[in-house]
């Protein structure tokens, strides 16, 4: 009797239990994905997302809820039959925590509602996908601008960072929704010197304080002469170049602003021996100036013994009760060996 085909859950269990196997498989997978044809929604479409609740974060101790400065509030493993679903790389959760919009790294928007029960995510409703449009109304992916990796929001305007072409594109989402047309903003000329496919994973848009109205961009793995992450503060008429200290082989996969005015980095470590790791690091912006090297402390760190995957998107919202909730999502690389995860944590420490 033939053995049944391995399930996705079975594959993930294998990866968690054998980090060397995980490393080799994910390295091969990354090479395959790099040469895969872009997959994006060609028109606005409603889709169905099946969501399986994740009730514990630590596979070894399901009763544990506190992890560093964070408390696990629940998660979802997401699946959809729509071919454009997957590759979630940037996320914005609206105030209150129900409505969200995300961007995939193949040039699609994904939006919907997070359904909760007793403060825990239980499902996704009213999901839609659409192509990310350029200024001419055509999909950005059709012109090769498909590697849409980072997403930030300010006052109803979305900013999307695009790797490989090293551009940041502005969308008036409040006015036009999924039909918003992107307008490239002026970016520093030295963006073109960032390491290919290791650049605009992090774009943040401070809404208050001395940096309000400006954009922060931190590279994934484009290093300065000291081996730290090249970073930029982009204003209307100036650019401040600084660095984020790179530690323990972690690279940046996304970022957001955490109140009152710190930068929260979502970081990822990949090792053939240890597999994938995730870290969130809180970096104070108070000393940001030309040539500065900023560092911060870890709020949480996790490996494949926890419910993580290739974590690539992060967003923060406040609940009606005043809690600060961090939502992170993973990029499954359109692979059956990986998962699209949505995880939520409450900030309980500082």
């Amino acid at each position: 009797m033939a053995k049944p085909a391995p399930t996705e859950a079975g594959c993930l269990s294998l990866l968690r239990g054998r980090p060397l196997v995980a490393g080799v498989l994910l390295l091969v997978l990354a090479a395959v994905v790099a040469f895969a044809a872009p997959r994006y929604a060609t028109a606005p479409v409603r889709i169905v997302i099946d969501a399986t609740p994740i009730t514990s974060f630590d596979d070894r101790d399901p009763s544990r809820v506190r992890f560093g400065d964070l408390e696990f509030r629940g998660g979802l493993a997401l699946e959809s039959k729509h071919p454009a679903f997957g590759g979630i790389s940037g996320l914005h959760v609206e105030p209150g925590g129900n409505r969200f919009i995300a961007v995939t790294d193949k040039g699609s928007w994904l939006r919907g509602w997070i359904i909760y029960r007793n403060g825990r995510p239980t499902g996704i409703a009213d999901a839609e996908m659409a192509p990310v449009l350029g200024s001419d109304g055509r999909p950005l992916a059709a012109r090769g601008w498909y590697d849409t990796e980072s997403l930030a929001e300010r006052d109803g305007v979305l900013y999307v960072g695009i790797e490989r072409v090293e551009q940041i594109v502005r969308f008036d989402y409040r006015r036009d929704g999924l039909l918003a047309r992107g307008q490239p903003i002026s970016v520093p000329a030295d963006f073109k010197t960032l390491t290919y496919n290791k650049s605009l994973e992090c774009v943040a848009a401070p809404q208050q304080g001395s940096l309000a109205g400006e954009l922060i961009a931190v590279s994934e793995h484009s290093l300065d002469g000291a081996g730290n992450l090249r970073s930029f503060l982009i204003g209307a008429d100036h650019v401040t170049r600084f660095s984020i200290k790179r530690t323990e082989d972690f690279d940046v996969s996304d970022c957001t602003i955490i109140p009152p005015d710190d930068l929260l980095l979502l970081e990822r470590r990949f090792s053939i021996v240890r597999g994938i790791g995730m870290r969130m690091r809180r970096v104070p912006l108070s000393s940001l100036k030309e040539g500065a090297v900023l560092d911060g402390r870890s709020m949480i760190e996790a490996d494949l013994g926890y419910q993580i995957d290739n974590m690539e998107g992060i967003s923060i919202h406040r609940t009606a009760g005043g809690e600060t909730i961090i939502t992170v999502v993973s990029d499954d690389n359109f692979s059956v060996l990986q998962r699209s995860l949505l995880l939520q944590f409450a900030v309980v420490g500082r």
Side-chain angles (χ1 to χ4, degrees), residues 99 132 155 239 278 287 291 309 344:
R99 190 80 170 155
V132 180
D155 298 330
V239 176
M278 177 198 79
S287 57
D309 206 285
Q344 289 193 333

Side-chain angles (χ1 to χ4, degrees), residues 135-167:
S135 59
D136 59 359
R138 297 174 60 238
L140 280 177
R143 62 182 294 180
W145 289 25
Y146 61 85
D147 202 2
T148 42
E149 290 282 357
S150 48
L151 176 65
E153 185 272 347
R154 181 168 51 222
D155 298 330
V157 172
L158 300 178
Y159 297 89
V160 175
I162 309 176
E163 281 193 326
R164 306 176 198 244
V165 296
E166 319 309 349
Q167 294 283 344

Side-chain angles (χ1 to χ4, degrees), residues 125-136:
D126 299 330
E128 301 172 88
M129 296 193 75
V132 180
L133 301 179
S135 59
D136 59 359

Side-chain angles (χ1 to χ4, degrees), residues 13 23 73 80 124 128 192 273:
S13 176
R73 289 298 172 83
S80 176
I124 302 293
E128 301 172 88
K192 294 299 183 182
V273 174

Side-chain angles (χ1 to χ4, degrees), residues 41-333:
T42 57
V45 61
R46 296 183 69 86
I47 69 169
V48 175
I49 296 179
D50 296 320
T52 302
I54 296 171
T55 57
S56 61
F57 184 59
D58 187 343
D59 288 342
R60 295 154 294 199
D61 183 1
S63 66
R64 183 183 172 197
V65 296
R66 179 71 182 262
F67 303 90
D69 293 342
L70 307 182
E71 183 177 285
F72 183 62
R73 289 298 172 83
L76 302 169
L78 308 176
E79 295 183 73
S80 176
K81 294 181 180 179
H82 194 281
F85 179 81
I88 304 171
S89 295
L91 175 71
H92 170 65
V93 178
E94 295 186 4
N98 295 107
R99 190 80 170 155
F100 74 90
I101 185 163
V103 67
T104 80
D105 61 10
K106 298 302 181 184
S108 296
W109 296 116
L110 168 66
R111 73 178 181 185
W113 287 82
I114 304 173
I115 307 302
Y116 295 90
R117 181 178 297 116
N118 298 324
R120 295 178 175 273
T122 58
I124 302 293
D126 299 330
E128 301 172 88
M129 296 193 75
V132 180
L133 301 179
S135 59
D136 59 359
R138 297 174 60 238
L140 280 177
R143 62 182 294 180
W145 289 25
Y146 61 85
D147 202 2
T148 42
E149 290 282 357
S150 48
L151 176 65
E153 185 272 347
R154 181 168 51 222
D155 298 330
V157 172
L158 300 178
Y159 297 89
V160 175
I162 309 176
E163 281 193 326
R164 306 176 198 244
V165 296
E166 319 309 349
Q167 294 283 344
I168 297 176
V169 182
R170 178 186 187 277
F171 298 85
D172 194 336
Y173 178 67
R174 174 179 292 172
R175 185 186 69 190
D176 300 320
L178 296 180
L179 299 180
R181 296 186 178 190
Q183 300 291 336
I185 70 169
S186 178
V187 296
D190 49 340
F191 265 28
K192 294 299 183 182
T193 67
L194 295 173
T195 304
Y196 183 74
N197 200 30
K198 295 288 184 179
S199 58
L200 297 177
E201 293 270 350
C202 156
V203 173
Q207 302 203 39
Q208 60 185 11
S210 62
L211 302 182
E214 306 194 355
L215 292 177
I216 296 171
V218 179
S219 65
E220 175 188 5
H221 186 102
S222 295
L223 308 181
D224 63 15
N228 296 316
L229 300 161
R230 294 174 61 190
S231 308
F232 303 81
L233 177 67
I234 305 170
D237 56 4
H238 69 275
V239 176
T240 301
R241 294 166 178 83
F242 65 102
S243 296
I244 299 288
K245 187 172 182 62
R246 183 173 184 264
T247 63
E248 301 181 30
D249 295 325
F250 276 98
D251 295 325
V252 170
S253 58
D254 201 6
C255 64
T256 190
I257 300 297
I258 183 168
D261 56 2
D262 291 349
L263 185 67
L264 181 60
L265 297 174
L266 177 63
E267 298 177 293
R268 168 182 56 201
R269 179 172 60 198
F270 174 78
S271 165
I272 291 179
V273 174
R274 293 188 292 179
I276 287 178
M278 177 198 79
R279 182 173 71 181
M280 298 183 208
R281 183 166 43 136
R282 185 170 188 156
V283 177
L285 296 174
S286 56
S287 57
L288 195 162
K289 61 181 180 179
E290 183 71 28
V293 179
L294 306 184
D295 195 5
R297 62 182 184 80
S298 172
M299 296 183 74
I300 185 174
E301 187 171 332
D303 59 21
L304 282 173
Y306 300 85
Q307 289 282 348
I308 68 166
D309 206 285
N310 177 33
M311 310 311 295
E312 284 219 9
I314 189 167
S315 183
I316 285 179
H317 72 271
R318 299 273 290 181
T319 68
E323 286 189 306
T324 298
I325 302 295
I326 299 173
T327 304
V328 290
V329 291
S330 67
D331 173 359
D332 69 349
N333 287 307

